[in-house]
Amino acid sequence: VGGACTLLAYGFMMVLAVFEVGSFFSSELVTDMVMDGNQDRLIQINFDITMHDLPCNHMKISVTDAFGEEKIDGVNKFHYIPIDHEGNYKGEVYQADEVAELEAQELLAEMTEDEKKALETDWLSSSDTFKHTDFDSVIAVHDFTLMNFYADWCSHCREFHPTWQKSAEKISSKMKFKDADGQEFEVKMLKINCVDFQDTCTSAQVQAFPTVRLYKRDGSFAPFTAKRTTEDLVAFITDQVAKSHHVKAKH
């Protein structure tokens, strides 16, 4: 009886060994879904990117969703550090808004008077006398730009039009707004016809009309969501400019 039990035990161990060896050499795809317990709305991502032979003003950093369709708002606390061919630090350290300031200086220096005028006019029609081709340049040459994205067929846009015109006469390049450091700035008010300039509005991810945004020269913006009145526009601009710090950058 004892010998029989021993043989059964050896047989059982051999079967287990065969199954273990078989599972070791085979693989199985398993998917586990785990809920993230982190309740924080913000996430900090630290990264260091080195690009040789690329001027700082030709490099942009943005965060989008997994499909690359929607830009995710973030805090642009990063620096541009010029380096030589050996990777050593060389020259001034720039923040994003300082690079934008330098870009604007270079852009204006290279422009003709007609090109400068085009950056100061509304984008009403693709067939007017001005060449409206570079939306980024329009934003870059102004410290602050209040942009109204509209469509001709939109009834809300037509209702908003008289208020916008009245507000522009009062605010655009006339009123002074103080930033967080007490410096005074003007705000340029412009509007863009998203029927004629559909590609530009699509690139700016405009999804409803009218859409009003206050842009800083680095391309970041704050959406206007209050009532469409002159008083609310002034209050919105005052609040947003007061949160900003303006820099003076030099090469």
Side-chain angles (χ1 to χ4, degrees), residues 113 133 220:
E113 289 303 317
T133 58
S220 61

Side-chain angles (χ1 to χ4, degrees), residues 127-220:
S127 58
D128 62 16
T129 57
F130 297 103
K131 294 181 179 180
H132 300 296
T133 58
D134 194 344
F135 179 78
D136 291 337
S137 294
V138 174
I139 302 302
V141 298
H142 301 103
D143 292 309
F144 297 94
T145 308
L146 189 67
M147 186 65 68
N148 176 13
F149 299 88
Y150 74 97
D152 290 330
W153 49 261
C154 170
S155 60
H156 296 295
C157 298
R158 292 195 293 270
E159 292 174 1
F160 181 43
H161 177 73
T163 301
W164 177 265
Q165 292 298 104
K166 176 184 175 181
S167 302
E169 292 174 1
K170 177 181 179 180
I171 300 171
S172 185
S173 300
K174 295 181 178 69
M175 289 187 66
K176 302 289 186 179
F177 300 89
K178 290 186 178 181
D179 71 355
D181 302 311
Q183 298 184 82
E184 291 187 338
F185 295 93
E186 295 178 350
V187 173
K188 183 65 179 180
M189 292 179 62
L190 295 171
K191 56 186 178 181
I192 177 169
N193 184 350
C194 290
V195 174
D196 272 29
F197 300 98
Q198 182 177 357
D199 290 343
T200 300
C201 296
T202 299
S203 179
Q205 299 179 0
V206 175
Q207 300 177 347
F209 305 109
T211 289
V212 178
R213 297 171 177 172
L214 180 65
Y215 282 88
K216 294 175 64 176
R217 70 162 74 247
D218 63 1
S220 61

Side-chain angles (χ1 to χ4, degrees), residues 57 92 94 102-103 105-106 249-251:
N57 60 340
E92 297 289 335
Y94 297 109
L102 293 174
E103 285 180 332
Q105 294 174 11
E106 295 174 355
K250 296 181 180 180
H251 283 295

Side-chain angles (χ1 to χ4, degrees), residues 31-50:
T31 301
D32 292 328
M33 181 176 291
V34 179
M35 297 299 293
D36 185 1
N38 186 358
Q39 300 298 318
D40 293 337
R41 295 185 59 191
L42 302 178
I43 182 173
Q44 179 173 323
I45 301 176
N46 299 319
F47 58 89
D48 186 3
I49 301 174
T50 300

